[in-house]
Coordinates of all heavy atoms in Angstrom, one line a residue:
I25 N 127.0 -6.8 84.7 CA 125.6 -6.5 84.4 C 124.9 -7.9 84.5 O 123.9 -7.9 85.2 CB 125.4 -5.9 83.0 CG1 126.1 -4.5 83.0 CG2 123.9 -5.7 82.8 CD1 126.1 -3.9 81.6
Q26 N 125.3 -8.8 83.8 CA 124.7 -10.2 83.8 C 124.7 -10.8 85.2 O 123.7 -11.4 85.6 CB 125.4 -11.1 82.8 CG 124.8 -12.4 82.7 CD 125.6 -13.3 81.7 OE1 126.3 -12.8 80.9 NE2 125.5 -14.6 81.9
S27 N 125.8 -10.7 85.9 CA 125.9 -11.3 87.2 C 124.9 -10.6 88.3 O 124.6 -11.2 89.3 CB 127.3 -11.3 87.7 OG 127.8 -9.9 87.9
H28 N 124.5 -9.4 88.0 CA 123.5 -8.7 88.8 C 122.1 -9.0 88.5 O 121.2 -8.4 89.0 CB 123.8 -7.2 88.8 CG 125.2 -6.9 89.4 ND1 125.5 -7.0 90.8 CD2 126.3 -6.4 88.8 CE1 126.7 -6.7 91.0 NE2 127.3 -6.3 89.8
G29 N 121.9 -9.9 87.5 CA 120.5 -10.2 87.1 C 119.9 -9.3 86.1 O 118.7 -9.5 85.8
D30 N 120.6 -8.4 85.5 CA 120.1 -7.4 84.6 C 120.3 -8.0 83.2 O 121.1 -7.5 82.4 CB 120.7 -6.0 84.7 CG 119.8 -5.0 84.1 OD1 118.8 -5.3 83.4 OD2 120.1 -3.8 84.3
H31 N 119.6 -9.1 82.9 CA 119.8 -9.8 81.6 C 119.5 -9.0 80.4 O 120.2 -9.2 79.4 CB 119.0 -11.1 81.7 CG 119.4 -12.0 82.8 ND1 120.6 -12.6 83.0 CD2 118.6 -12.4 83.9 CE1 120.6 -13.3 84.1 NE2 119.4 -13.2 84.7
D32 N 118.5 -8.2 80.4 CA 118.1 -7.4 79.3 C 119.2 -6.4 78.8 O 119.5 -6.3 77.6 CB 116.8 -6.7 79.5 CG 115.6 -7.6 79.6 OD1 115.6 -8.7 78.9 OD2 114.7 -7.4 80.4
V33 N 119.8 -5.8 79.8 CA 120.9 -4.8 79.5 C 122.1 -5.6 79.0 O 122.7 -5.2 78.0 CB 121.2 -4.0 80.7 CG1 122.5 -3.1 80.4 CG2 120.1 -3.1 81.1
A34 N 122.4 -6.7 79.6 CA 123.5 -7.5 79.1 C 123.3 -8.0 77.7 O 124.2 -8.0 76.9 CB 123.7 -8.7 80.1
L35 N 122.0 -8.5 77.4 CA 121.8 -8.9 76.1 C 121.9 -7.8 75.0 O 122.4 -8.1 73.9 CB 120.3 -9.5 76.0 CG 120.2 -10.9 76.6 CD1 118.7 -11.3 76.7 CD2 120.9 -11.9 75.7
T36 N 121.5 -6.6 75.4 CA 121.7 -5.5 74.5 C 123.1 -5.3 74.1 O 123.5 -5.1 73.0 CB 121.1 -4.2 75.1 OG1 119.7 -4.4 75.3 CG2 121.2 -3.0 74.2
K37 N 124.0 -5.3 75.1 CA 125.4 -5.1 74.9 C 126.0 -6.3 74.2 O 126.9 -6.1 73.3 CB 126.1 -4.9 76.2 CG 125.6 -3.6 76.9 CD 126.5 -3.2 78.0 CE 126.0 -1.9 78.7 NZ 126.1 -0.7 77.9
Y38 N 125.6 -7.5 74.5 CA 126.1 -8.7 73.7 C 125.7 -8.7 72.3 O 126.4 -9.1 71.4 CB 125.6 -10.0 74.4 CG 126.2 -10.2 75.8 CD1 125.5 -10.9 76.8 CD2 127.6 -9.9 76.0 CE1 126.1 -11.1 78.0 CE2 128.2 -10.2 77.2 CZ 127.4 -10.8 78.2 OH 128.0 -11.1 79.4
R39 N 124.5 -8.2 72.0 CA 124.0 -8.1 70.6 C 124.9 -7.1 69.8 O 125.2 -7.4 68.6 CB 122.6 -7.6 70.5 CG 121.6 -8.7 70.9 CD 120.2 -8.4 70.7 NE 119.3 -9.5 71.1 CZ 118.4 -9.4 72.0 NH1 118.2 -8.3 72.6 NH2 117.7 -10.5 72.3
I40 N 125.3 -6.1 70.4 CA 126.3 -5.1 69.8 C 127.6 -5.8 69.5 O 128.1 -5.7 68.4 CB 126.5 -3.9 70.6 CG1 125.1 -3.1 70.7 CG2 127.6 -3.0 70.1 CD1 125.1 -2.0 71.7
A41 N 128.1 -6.6 70.5 CA 129.3 -7.3 70.3 C 129.2 -8.4 69.3 O 130.1 -8.7 68.5 CB 129.8 -7.9 71.7
A42 N 128.0 -9.0 69.2 CA 127.8 -10.1 68.2 C 127.9 -9.6 66.8 O 128.3 -10.3 65.9 CB 126.5 -10.8 68.5
A43 N 127.5 -8.3 66.6 CA 127.6 -7.8 65.2 C 129.1 -7.7 64.8 O 129.4 -7.8 63.6 CB 127.0 -6.4 65.2
A44 N 130.0 -7.5 65.8 CA 131.4 -7.4 65.4 C 132.1 -8.7 65.4 O 133.0 -8.9 64.6 CB 132.1 -6.5 66.5
T45 N 131.8 -9.6 66.3 CA 132.4 -10.9 66.4 C 131.4 -12.0 66.5 O 131.2 -12.6 67.5 CB 133.4 -11.0 67.6 OG1 132.6 -10.7 68.8 CG2 134.5 -10.1 67.5
P46 N 130.7 -12.3 65.4 CA 129.5 -13.3 65.5 C 130.0 -14.7 65.7 O 129.1 -15.5 66.1 CB 128.9 -13.1 64.1 CG 129.9 -12.6 63.2 CD 130.8 -11.8 64.0
E47 N 131.2 -15.1 65.6 CA 131.6 -16.4 65.8 C 132.3 -16.7 67.1 O 132.9 -17.8 67.3 CB 132.5 -16.9 64.6 CG 131.8 -17.0 63.3 CD 132.6 -16.6 62.1 OE1 133.8 -16.4 62.2 OE2 132.0 -16.5 61.0
S48 N 132.2 -15.8 68.0 CA 132.9 -15.9 69.3 C 132.1 -16.9 70.2 O 131.0 -16.6 70.6 CB 133.0 -14.6 70.0 OG 133.4 -14.7 71.3
P49 N 132.7 -18.0 70.5 CA 131.9 -19.0 71.4 C 131.7 -18.4 72.8 O 130.7 -18.7 73.4 CB 132.8 -20.2 71.4 CG 134.2 -19.7 71.0 CD 134.0 -18.6 70.1
H50 N 132.7 -17.6 73.3 CA 132.5 -17.0 74.6 C 131.3 -16.1 74.7 O 130.6 -16.0 75.6 CB 133.8 -16.2 75.0 CG 135.0 -17.2 75.2 ND1 135.8 -17.5 74.2 CD2 135.4 -17.8 76.3 CE1 136.7 -18.3 74.6 NE2 136.5 -18.5 75.9
L51 N 131.2 -15.3 73.6 CA 130.1 -14.4 73.5 C 128.7 -15.1 73.5 O 127.8 -14.8 74.2 CB 130.2 -13.5 72.2 CG 129.0 -12.6 71.9 CD1 129.0 -11.5 73.0 CD2 129.2 -11.9 70.6
W52 N 128.6 -16.2 72.7 CA 127.4 -16.9 72.6 C 127.1 -17.7 73.9 O 125.9 -17.9 74.2 CB 127.4 -17.9 71.4 CG 127.2 -17.0 70.1 CD1 128.2 -16.8 69.2 CD2 126.1 -16.3 69.7 NE1 127.7 -15.9 68.2 CE2 126.4 -15.6 68.5 CE3 124.8 -16.2 70.3 CZ2 125.5 -14.8 67.9 CZ3 123.9 -15.4 69.6 CH2 124.2 -14.7 68.4
N53 N 128.2 -18.1 74.6 CA 128.0 -18.7 75.9 C 127.3 -17.7 76.8 O 126.4 -18.0 77.6 CB 129.3 -19.2 76.4 CG 129.1 -19.9 77.8 OD1 128.5 -20.9 77.9 ND2 129.6 -19.3 78.8
N54 N 127.8 -16.5 76.9 CA 127.3 -15.4 77.7 C 125.8 -15.1 77.3 O 125.0 -14.9 78.2 CB 128.1 -14.2 77.7 CG 129.5 -14.4 78.4 OD1 129.6 -15.3 79.2 ND2 130.4 -13.5 78.2
I55 N 125.6 -15.0 76.0 CA 124.2 -14.7 75.6 C 123.3 -15.9 76.0 O 122.2 -15.7 76.5 CB 124.2 -14.6 74.0 CG1 124.9 -13.3 73.7 CG2 122.7 -14.5 73.5 CD1 125.1 -13.1 72.2
G56 N 123.8 -17.1 75.9 CA 123.0 -18.3 76.3 C 122.7 -18.3 77.8 O 121.6 -18.6 78.2
M57 N 123.7 -17.9 78.6 CA 123.4 -17.8 80.0 C 122.5 -16.7 80.4 O 121.7 -16.8 81.4 CB 124.8 -17.6 80.8 CG 125.7 -18.8 80.6 SD 125.0 -20.4 81.1 CE 124.8 -20.2 82.8
C58 N 122.4 -15.6 79.6 CA 121.4 -14.6 79.9 C 120.0 -15.1 79.6 O 119.1 -14.9 80.3 CB 121.7 -13.3 79.0 SG 123.0 -12.3 79.5
F59 N 119.9 -15.8 78.5 CA 118.6 -16.4 78.1 C 118.2 -17.5 79.2 O 117.1 -17.6 79.5 CB 118.6 -17.0 76.7 CG 118.5 -16.0 75.6 CD1 119.4 -16.0 74.6 CD2 117.5 -15.1 75.6 CE1 119.3 -15.1 73.6 CE2 117.4 -14.2 74.6 CZ 118.3 -14.1 73.6
F60 N 119.2 -18.2 79.7 CA 118.9 -19.1 80.7 C 118.4 -18.4 82.0 O 117.4 -18.9 82.6 CB 120.2 -19.9 81.1 CG 120.0 -20.9 82.2 CD1 119.3 -22.1 82.0 CD2 120.4 -20.6 83.5 CE1 119.1 -23.0 83.0 CE2 120.2 -21.5 84.5 CZ 119.6 -22.7 84.3
G61 N 119.0 -17.3 82.3 CA 118.5 -16.5 83.5 C 117.1 -16.0 83.3 O 116.3 -15.8 84.2
K62 N 116.7 -15.8 82.0 CA 115.4 -15.3 81.7 C 114.4 -16.5 81.4 O 113.2 -16.3 81.1 CB 115.4 -14.5 80.4 CG 116.1 -13.2 80.6 CD 116.2 -12.4 79.3 CE 114.8 -12.0 78.9 NZ 114.6 -10.7 78.5
K63 N 114.9 -17.7 81.6 CA 114.1 -18.9 81.4 C 113.6 -19.1 80.0 O 112.5 -19.6 79.7 CB 113.0 -19.0 82.4 CG 113.4 -19.0 83.9 CD 112.2 -19.2 84.8 CE 112.5 -19.1 86.2 NZ 113.7 -19.2 86.8
K64 N 114.4 -18.7 79.0 CA 114.1 -18.8 77.6 C 115.0 -19.9 77.1 O 116.0 -19.7 76.4 CB 114.3 -17.5 76.9 CG 113.3 -16.4 77.3 CD 113.3 -15.2 76.5 CE 112.3 -14.3 77.0 NZ 111.9 -13.3 76.0
Y65 N 114.6 -21.2 77.3 CA 115.4 -22.3 77.1 C 115.6 -22.6 75.6 O 116.6 -23.1 75.2 CB 114.9 -23.5 77.8 CG 114.8 -23.3 79.3 CD1 113.6 -23.3 80.0 CD2 115.9 -23.0 80.0 CE1 113.5 -23.0 81.3 CE2 115.9 -22.7 81.4 CZ 114.7 -22.7 82.0 OH 114.6 -22.5 83.4
V66 N 114.6 -22.3 74.8 CA 114.8 -22.5 73.3 C 115.9 -21.6 72.8 O 116.7 -22.0 72.0 CB 113.5 -22.2 72.6 CG1 113.7 -22.3 71.1 CG2 112.4 -23.2 73.0
A67 N 116.0 -20.4 73.3 CA 117.1 -19.5 72.9 C 118.4 -20.0 73.4 O 119.4 -19.8 72.7 CB 116.8 -18.1 73.4
V68 N 118.4 -20.6 74.6 CA 119.7 -21.2 75.1 C 120.1 -22.3 74.1 O 121.3 -22.4 73.8 CB 119.4 -21.8 76.5 CG1 120.7 -22.5 77.0 CG2 119.1 -20.7 77.5
V69 N 119.2 -23.1 73.7 CA 119.6 -24.2 72.7 C 120.1 -23.6 71.5 O 121.1 -24.1 70.9 CB 118.4 -25.1 72.5 CG1 118.7 -26.1 71.4 CG2 117.9 -25.8 73.7
D70 N 119.5 -22.5 70.9 CA 120.1 -21.9 69.7 C 121.5 -21.4 69.9 O 122.3 -21.6 69.1 CB 119.2 -20.7 69.3 CG 117.8 -21.2 68.8 OD1 117.7 -22.4 68.4 OD2 116.9 -20.4 68.8
C71 N 121.7 -20.8 71.1 CA 123.1 -20.3 71.4 C 124.1 -21.5 71.5 O 125.2 -21.4 71.0 CB 123.1 -19.5 72.7 SG 122.3 -18.0 72.6
L72 N 123.6 -22.6 72.1 CA 124.5 -23.8 72.2 C 124.8 -24.3 70.8 O 126.0 -24.6 70.6 CB 123.8 -24.8 73.0 CG 124.5 -26.1 73.2 CD1 125.8 -25.9 73.9 CD2 123.7 -27.1 73.9
W73 N 123.9 -24.4 69.9 CA 124.1 -24.9 68.6 C 125.1 -24.0 67.8 O 125.9 -24.4 67.1 CB 122.9 -25.1 67.8 CG 122.1 -26.3 68.2 CD1 120.9 -26.4 68.7 CD2 122.6 -27.6 68.1 NE1 120.6 -27.7 69.0 CE2 121.6 -28.5 68.6 CE3 123.8 -28.2 67.7 CZ2 121.8 -29.9 68.7 CZ3 124.0 -29.6 67.8 CH2 123.0 -30.4 68.3
L74 N 125.0 -22.6 68.1 CA 126.0 -21.7 67.4 C 127.4 -22.0 67.9 O 128.3 -22.0 67.1 CB 125.6 -20.3 67.7 CG 124.4 -19.8 66.9 CD1 123.9 -18.4 67.4 CD2 124.8 -19.6 65.4
I75 N 127.5 -22.3 69.2 CA 128.8 -22.6 69.8 C 129.3 -23.9 69.2 O 130.5 -24.0 68.7 CB 128.8 -22.7 71.3 CG1 128.4 -21.4 71.9 CG2 130.1 -23.3 71.9 CD1 128.1 -21.4 73.4
V76 N 128.5 -24.9 69.1 CA 128.9 -26.2 68.6 C 129.3 -26.1 67.1 O 130.3 -26.7 66.7 CB 127.8 -27.3 68.8 CG1 128.1 -28.6 68.1 CG2 127.6 -27.5 70.3
D77 N 128.5 -25.4 66.4 CA 128.8 -25.2 64.9 C 130.1 -24.4 64.7 O 130.9 -24.7 63.8 CB 127.7 -24.5 64.2 CG 126.5 -25.4 64.0 OD1 126.6 -26.6 64.2 OD2 125.4 -24.8 63.8
N78 N 130.3 -23.4 65.5 CA 131.5 -22.5 65.2 C 132.7 -22.9 66.0 O 133.8 -22.6 65.5 CB 131.1 -21.0 65.6 CG 130.1 -20.5 64.7 OD1 130.1 -20.7 63.5 ND2 129.2 -19.7 65.2
A79 N 132.6 -23.5 67.1 CA 133.8 -23.9 67.9 C 133.5 -25.1 68.7 O 133.3 -25.0 70.0 CB 134.2 -22.7 68.8
P80 N 133.5 -26.3 68.1 CA 133.2 -27.5 68.9 C 134.1 -27.8 70.0 O 133.7 -28.4 71.0 CB 133.2 -28.6 67.8 CG 133.9 -28.1 66.6 CD 133.8 -26.6 66.7
C81 N 135.4 -27.4 69.9 CA 136.3 -27.7 71.0 C 136.0 -26.8 72.3 O 136.4 -27.2 73.4 CB 137.7 -27.4 70.6 SG 138.3 -28.6 69.3
F82 N 135.3 -25.8 72.1 CA 134.9 -24.9 73.2 C 134.1 -25.7 74.2 O 134.3 -25.5 75.4 CB 134.1 -23.7 72.7 CG 133.7 -22.7 73.8 CD1 134.6 -21.8 74.3 CD2 132.4 -22.8 74.3 CE1 134.2 -20.9 75.3 CE2 132.0 -21.9 75.3 CZ 132.9 -21.0 75.8
C83 N 133.2 -26.5 73.8 CA 132.3 -27.3 74.7 C 133.1 -28.3 75.5 O 132.7 -28.6 76.6 CB 131.2 -28.0 73.9 SG 130.0 -26.8 73.2
I84 N 134.2 -28.7 75.0 CA 135.0 -29.7 75.7 C 135.9 -29.0 76.8 O 136.0 -29.5 77.9 CB 135.9 -30.5 74.8 CG1 135.0 -31.3 73.8 CG2 136.9 -31.4 75.5 CD1 135.8 -31.9 72.7
K85 N 136.3 -27.8 76.5 CA 137.3 -27.1 77.3 C 136.6 -26.2 78.4 O 137.3 -25.8 79.3 CB 138.2 -26.2 76.5 CG 139.1 -27.1 75.6 CD 140.0 -26.2 74.8 CE 140.9 -27.0 73.8 NZ 141.7 -26.1 73.0
H86 N 135.4 -25.8 78.2 CA 134.8 -24.8 79.1 C 133.5 -25.4 79.8 O 132.6 -25.9 79.1 CB 134.4 -23.6 78.3 CG 135.6 -22.9 77.8 ND1 136.2 -23.2 76.6 CD2 136.3 -21.8 78.3 CE1 137.3 -22.4 76.4 NE2 137.3 -21.6 77.4
K87 N 133.6 -25.3 81.1 CA 132.5 -25.9 81.9 C 131.1 -25.2 81.7 O 130.1 -25.9 81.8 CB 132.9 -25.9 83.3 CG 133.9 -26.9 83.7 CD 134.1 -27.0 85.2 CE 135.1 -28.1 85.4 NZ 135.4 -28.2 86.9
P88 N 131.0 -23.9 81.5 CA 129.7 -23.4 81.3 C 128.9 -24.0 80.2 O 127.7 -24.3 80.3 CB 129.9 -21.9 81.0 CG 131.2 -21.6 81.6 CD 132.0 -22.9 81.5
C89 N 129.6 -24.3 79.1 CA 128.9 -25.0 78.0 C 128.5 -26.4 78.4 O 127.4 -26.9 78.0 CB 129.8 -25.0 76.7 SG 129.0 -25.6 75.3
I90 N 129.4 -27.1 79.1 CA 129.1 -28.4 79.5 C 127.9 -28.4 80.5 O 127.0 -29.3 80.5 CB 130.3 -29.1 80.2 CG1 131.4 -29.3 79.1 CG2 130.0 -30.4 80.9 CD1 132.7 -29.7 79.7
N91 N 127.8 -27.3 81.3 CA 126.7 -27.2 82.2 C 125.4 -27.0 81.4 O 124.3 -27.6 81.8 CB 126.9 -26.0 83.2 CG 128.0 -26.3 84.2 OD1 128.3 -27.4 84.4 ND2 128.5 -25.2 84.7
I92 N 125.4 -26.3 80.4 CA 124.2 -26.1 79.5 C 123.8 -27.4 78.9 O 122.6 -27.8 78.9 CB 124.5 -25.0 78.4 CG1 124.6 -23.6 79.1 CG2 123.3 -25.0 77.4 CD1 125.0 -22.6 78.1
V93 N 124.8 -28.2 78.4 CA 124.5 -29.5 77.8 C 123.9 -30.4 78.9 O 122.9 -31.1 78.6 CB 125.7 -30.1 77.2 CG1 125.5 -31.5 76.7 CG2 126.2 -29.2 76.0
A94 N 124.4 -30.4 80.0 CA 123.9 -31.2 81.1 C 122.5 -30.8 81.5 O 121.6 -31.7 81.7 CB 124.8 -31.2 82.3
L95 N 122.2 -29.5 81.5 CA 120.9 -29.0 81.8 C 119.9 -29.4 80.8 O 118.8 -29.9 81.1 CB 120.9 -27.5 82.0 CG 119.5 -26.9 82.1 CD1 119.0 -27.2 83.5 CD2 119.6 -25.4 81.9
L96 N 120.3 -29.3 79.5 CA 119.4 -29.7 78.4 C 119.1 -31.2 78.5 O 118.0 -31.6 78.3 CB 120.0 -29.3 77.1 CG 120.2 -27.9 76.8 CD1 120.9 -27.7 75.5 CD2 118.8 -27.2 76.8
Y97 N 120.1 -32.0 78.9 CA 119.9 -33.4 79.0 C 118.8 -33.7 80.1 O 117.9 -34.4 80.0 CB 121.2 -34.1 79.3 CG 121.0 -35.5 79.7 CD1 120.7 -36.5 78.8 CD2 121.2 -35.9 81.1 CE1 120.6 -37.8 79.2 CE2 121.1 -37.2 81.4 CZ 120.8 -38.2 80.5 OH 120.7 -39.5 80.9
L98 N 119.0 -33.0 81.2 CA 118.1 -33.2 82.4 C 116.7 -32.7 82.0 O 115.7 -33.4 82.4 CB 118.6 -32.5 83.6 CG 119.9 -33.1 84.2 CD1 120.4 -32.2 85.3 CD2 119.6 -34.5 84.7
L99 N 116.6 -31.6 81.3 CA 115.3 -31.1 81.0 C 114.5 -31.9 80.0 O 113.3 -32.0 79.9 CB 115.4 -29.6 80.5 CG 115.8 -28.6 81.5 CD1 116.0 -27.2 80.9 CD2 114.7 -28.5 82.6
S100 N 115.3 -32.5 79.1 CA 114.7 -33.3 78.0 C 114.1 -34.6 78.5 O 113.2 -35.1 77.9 CB 115.7 -33.5 76.9 OG 116.7 -34.5 77.3
G101 N 114.7 -35.2 79.5 CA 114.3 -36.4 80.0 C 114.6 -37.6 79.1 O 114.0 -38.7 79.2
T102 N 115.5 -37.4 78.2 CA 115.8 -38.5 77.2 C 117.2 -39.0 77.5 O 118.1 -38.2 78.1 CB 115.7 -38.0 75.8 OG1 116.6 -36.9 75.6 CG2 114.3 -37.5 75.5
A103 N 117.5 -40.1 77.1 CA 118.8 -40.7 77.2 C 119.7 -40.3 76.0 O 119.1 -40.1 74.9 CB 118.8 -42.2 77.3
W104 N 121.0 -40.2 76.2 CA 121.9 -39.9 75.0 C 122.1 -41.1 74.3 O 122.5 -41.6 73.5 CB 123.2 -39.3 75.6 CG 123.0 -38.0 76.2 CD1 121.9 -37.4 76.7 CD2 124.1 -37.1 76.4 NE1 122.2 -36.2 77.2 CE2 123.5 -36.0 77.1 CE3 125.4 -37.0 76.2 CZ2 124.2 -34.8 77.5 CZ3 126.1 -35.9 76.6 CH2 125.5 -34.8 77.2

C-alpha cells in the first residue's frame, strides 16, 4: 500500500498495528516514511525520536533510519 503512494491507507493500518506493538522500531520507521511521503516532516521527526528512544541500535543497523537522519540533517542546514 505504502509503496503505491497510498500513504493514508497505510497509516490507518499502521495505527492499528501500533496499538498492538507500540515499541516496534520497524513499525515506526514505516509510519515515518509514510509521513515523509506526505511531506509532514515534523511527524517524521517524532517517529524518528520514538525509534531512537525505544531501539537506538535500530538506527545503526537499518539504512532507512539513517536516511531519515541524513535528510533531517540536510533540511536543518546545521552542523552536527
Side-chain angles (χ1 to χ4, degrees):
I25 298 169
Q26 178 181 341
S27 62
H28 295 291
D30 201 352
H31 302 294
D32 292 323
V33 173
L35 282 170
T36 300
K37 296 192 180 291
Y38 290 144
R39 284 186 181 121
I40 293 168
T45 56
E47 290 148 5
S48 169
H50 295 89
L51 176 65
W52 287 108
N53 182 67
N54 288 344
I55 292 171
M57 294 309 290
C58 283
F59 283 127
F60 178 77
K62 294 177 61 131
K63 299 182 185 345
K64 295 190 176 200
Y65 302 116
V66 173
V68 173
V69 173
D70 290 340
C71 291
L72 177 63
W73 282 119
L74 284 169
I75 294 170
V76 170
D77 286 343
N78 292 323
C81 292
F82 180 82
C83 291
I84 296 168
K85 295 179 182 177
H86 293 83
K87 287 186 179 182
C89 188
I90 293 170
N91 290 340
I92 291 172
V93 172
L95 174 70
L96 294 174
Y97 170 73
L98 292 174
L99 290 175
S100 71
T102 59
W104 291 20

